[in-house]
Amino acid sequence: QVQLVESGGGSVQPGGSLRLSCVVSGTILSIDAMGWYRQAPGNERELVAAITSGGFTNYADSVKGRFTISRDNAKSTVYLQMNSLKPEDTAVYYCSVKGLLSTSRRFESWAQGTLVTVSS
């Protein structure tokens, strides 16, 4: 069983910063892609940023230059550094991880979500 535990959400004023963390645990052979998604009220869940096992990253256009995704493979952790936050960044942020449980079993797991509120 794979478990993801997020931390780092909260409230911040516009222009502020937050850092989200997501720790992966369980009997896992390998972790491939790790990503952050978000869902604002009334909107569909959208990809914010993703990072492959090789370190390649991609970002939503709305966060490029402001957010940075990174991972620490030794700690099975993915981070999302969010700078210059805007009110439109307000959403529930979800960590998602894909990988292998064994050579023939893949998994995709989601964290419970953490609320980020950007407001003055």
Side-chain angles (χ1 to χ4, degrees):
Q1 184 176 1
V2 179
Q3 291 185 327
L4 278 63
V5 178
E6 293 182 356
S7 61
S11 296
V12 65
Q13 293 185 340
S17 298
L18 284 174
R19 188 193 197 205
L20 305 182
S21 300
C22 177
V23 180
V24 185
S25 64
T27 305
I28 299 170
L29 180 63
S30 65
I31 297 175
D32 301 329
M34 308 178 85
W36 290 93
Y37 293 72
R38 68 186 180 187
Q39 187 168 19
N43 291 355
E44 295 185 350
R45 190 173 297 187
E46 62 175 358
L47 175 68
V48 176
I51 184 168
T52 68
S53 57
F56 292 101
T57 59
N58 69 290
Y59 296 90
D61 288 342
S62 59
V63 307
K64 284 181 181 177
R66 300 187 297 121
F67 291 11
T68 302
I69 188 171
S70 61
R71 61 190 284 172
D72 184 334
N73 292 327
K75 296 181 179 180
S76 298
T77 301
V78 61
Y79 305 96
L80 185 68
Q81 178 66 44
M82 304 184 292
N83 299 328
S84 301
L85 282 160
K86 304 175 181 180
E88 51 263 43
D89 295 317
T90 296
V92 177
Y93 284 71
Y94 299 90
C95 168
S96 175
V97 173
K98 298 178 182 179
L100 291 172
L101 297 175
S102 69
T103 55
S104 59
R105 292 179 62 197
R106 300 196 60 85
F107 76 90
E108 179 177 3
S109 293
W110 291 81
Q112 76 283 359
T114 186
L115 178 63
V116 172
T117 302
V118 185
S119 174
S120 56

